[in-house]
Amino acid sequence: MLLPKFDYHEPATLEDALRLLSEMGGNARIVAGGTDLLVRMKLKVEKPSHLISLRKIPRINVIIQRENHGVSIGAAVTAGELSTNELIMERFTPIGLAAARLGAPGIRNRATIGGNLVNARPAADLSPACMVLNASLKLKRSKNEREVPVNDFFRGPGETLIEPNEMLVSIFVETPPPWSGGAYIKLGSRKTLEISMVNVAVLLTLQSQNGPIVDAKIALGAVAPTPVRAFAAEEFLIGRQPSAKLFSEAGAIGVGMCEPITDHRGTMEYRCLMIETLTSRALNQAYQDAMTWKPLPV
Amino acid sequence: MKRIIKLTINGKTIEAAVSSNQTLLQFLREDMDLTGTKHGCGLGDCGACTVILDGKAVNSCLVLAVQADGSEILTIEGLAEDGKLHPLQQAFVDKGAIQCGFCTPGMILSAKALLDEKPNPSELEIRTAISGNLCRCTGYQKIVEAIGEAAEVVRMREES
Ligand SMILES: Cc1cc2nc3c(=O)[nH]c(=O)nc-3n(C[C@H](O)[C@H](O)[C@H](O)COP(=O)(O)OP(=O)(O)OC[C@H]3O[C@@H](n4cnc5c(N)ncnc54)[C@H](O)[C@@H]3O)c2cc1C
Ligand code: FES
Ligand code: FES
């Protein structure tokens, strides 16, 4: 399978990359890990005349802890790094777990979080995980920058708020409060290299170890043209005492949010059943995780 | 437009002119004559093209040759030392983890990347490490056993 011809650019600074991007407009694509773009170019779905690589741009591939209040994840950080980073696993659990389920090791070693978000596939693994953590995306172009909440970012399959001359530079995530716990469950017909049939990310915050739920975030992937938050189920949970029964009721409410499709990966009916089951299972797991919350060693 | 890249392949530093639309897989097979790395699907699905790039297993069909500039690459040809098979290669032979052999270079390099990071992997870690490598012949069980056995040999070699 051959790649069409293109010019390759490897700018050494972010400024140079942004300048190239604005000069070339719609003819250029950013290449991060290339695990999505190169496939689409081989399949002749896309034929950009310029590729702008992120490889040489300083610090775009690092995870930076911001004191205690959050973490900034460079757009070119790979799924492999996210899934093995202790801080991410401990405090930003849904992102770590989702990253560990993306593709297979060879893919994870290349695939970046930025590529996964900008790709905007309805079944992407990192999108729902970023949504429950209320991540904020820093988008830059030559002359200005803006911050967009990930929860507003997705517009449709492959469509986001990003403009052709903008680059996603980093993803900022606030540290969830004490007694928070997270989970991520992905259902496919096999364990790896599988685009999800349904995926669920959850973040639960308790008032105290045995206290009621003070905050709940649930996001579902592959059930609608974009990943969606299950707001009704979230509201239902807040203020209540956690229990398996409560979580299964929330799962049933979660189904109301979705418009799953029937395709070769599963029928609509099956998907609805799975949304209910997996939402409640993810809530149970996030609850276990929240109860065992502990301060990080300094 | 050709670009000059400089990289280390199996310990040897190499400078070469490549086209921007050449994949690392094409470069290794066609320009370097290292045909041990296999071309299967070309789309990241089968793992036959797996090589180790700067310590990490990657699908070389989804890496541009120009993106490997400045990197260190290990292919199946670089595994044996002084004509002696690497313990992974030997274990694959001993255990019957090879039939047609098409998946073997990729399997072995995925396993090598695992053992470099985790000398004492669990069975689950072994299965995860090769989860992006398809084998149409062996049914995987013998491959998993071979990797487990090789891990032991490597550990013993390192202790002594
Ligand atoms: C075999 C295989 C299995 C896969 N399995 C999964 C899976 O299980 N789950 C899943 O979610 N995905 C999966 N994918 C899809 C893909 O690997 C991921 O979406 C990956 O995260 C994409 O990241 P990348 O760095 O490789 O993106 P690239 O291919 O480099 O880029 C993807 C798109 O995003 C744009 N882009 C990249 N970075 C930026 C940036 N910083 N700013 C602006 N635009 C940018 C590019 O221009 C391009 O349009 C799989 C792909 C393959 C080939
Ligand atoms: S040839 Fe690269 S994964 Fe199949
Ligand atoms: S031995 Fe034939 S594909 Fe694995």
Side-chain angles (χ1 to χ4, degrees), chain A:
Chain A
M1 249 191 239
L2 299 176
L3 281 166
K5 285 210 163 67
F6 55 84
D7 281 339
Y8 177 78
H9 308 265
E10 220 170 61
T13 65
L14 180 61
E15 292 67 38
D16 286 351
L18 294 173
R19 195 174 35 75
L20 278 172
L21 200 56
S22 69
E23 279 169 15
M24 291 163 184
N27 290 326
R29 290 279 178 286
I30 289 170
V31 59
T35 60
D36 182 73
L37 184 62
L38 297 182
V39 170
R40 274 187 295 154
M41 287 170 63
K42 284 185 174 190
L43 297 174
K44 313 281 186 276
V45 183
E46 273 201 70
K47 205 172 172 301
S49 24
H50 299 273
L51 291 194
I52 302 172
S53 166
L54 300 182
R55 266 188 96 214
K56 291 275 161 69
I57 299 178
R59 291 153 58 84
I60 198 155
N61 60 350
V62 293
I63 300 173
I64 302 169
Q65 192 172 2
R66 301 273 181 222
E67 310 284 307
N68 265 332
H69 77 283
V71 69
S72 166
I73 303 170
V77 169
T78 64
E81 280 161 57
L82 289 169
S83 69
T84 50
N85 183 287
E86 278 177 32
L87 175 73
I88 299 288
M89 268 299 179
E90 190 63 38
R91 280 295 180 262
F92 308 91
T93 315
I95 293 184
L97 294 175
R101 294 300 308 278
L102 191 156
I107 298 293
R108 288 198 279 280
N109 285 335
R110 302 288 297 170
T112 66
I113 181 168
N116 199 245
L117 295 175
V118 174
N119 239 347
R121 299 328 311 174
D125 282 304
L126 289 165
S127 310
C130 288
M131 286 166 73
V132 297
L133 286 156
N134 262 336
S136 155
L137 312 183
K138 187 186 276 186
L139 306 178
K140 272 199 176 184
R141 69 176 97 189
S142 246
K143 297 245 150 41
N144 54 29
E145 72 174 60
R146 54 179 177 148
E147 299 257 344
V148 175
V150 72
N151 281 296
D152 298 339
F153 186 63
F154 303 110
R155 287 289 165 225
E159 277 175 48
T160 70
L161 284 184
I162 201 164
E163 302 283 339
N165 59 353
E166 275 182 317
M167 185 192 296
L168 170 57
V169 178
S170 60
I171 296 105
F172 178 76
V173 193
E174 232 171 84
T175 309
W179 305 112
S180 293
Y184 181 77
I185 298 182
K186 168 177 184 173
L187 178 75
S189 49
R190 53 189 282 252
K191 280 215 180 73
T192 51
L193 277 181
E194 174 62 298
I195 303 304
S196 318
M197 189 142 61
V198 175
N199 52 27
V200 188
V202 164
L203 190 81
L204 269 190
T205 305
L206 311 175
Q207 195 168 64
S208 60
Q209 188 164 27
N210 302 307
I213 297 165
V214 289
D215 200 5
K217 303 256 169 24
I218 303 170
L220 299 158
V223 300
T226 66
V228 288
R229 287 273 297 279
F231 291 115
E234 294 177 0
E235 273 162 36
F236 167 77
L237 288 164
I238 293 172
R240 294 182 200 244
Q241 201 60 37
S243 71
K245 180 167 167 287
L246 184 80
F247 294 148
S248 74
E249 285 168 20
I253 298 172
V255 180
M257 299 305 300
C258 312
E259 329 147 25
I261 53 164
T262 293
D263 69 4
H264 64 285
R265 296 196 176 94
T267 62
M268 182 190 80
E269 292 76 10
Y270 180 70
R271 283 196 156 110
C272 285
L273 278 172
M274 287 305 105
I275 292 163
E276 182 171 343
T277 308
L278 297 181
T279 303
S280 113
R281 200 177 289 168
L283 284 164
N284 273 298
Q285 287 179 12
Y287 175 49
Q288 297 303 322
D289 188 44
M291 281 201 304
T292 54
W293 186 91
K294 49 187 180 315
L296 290 178
V298 259

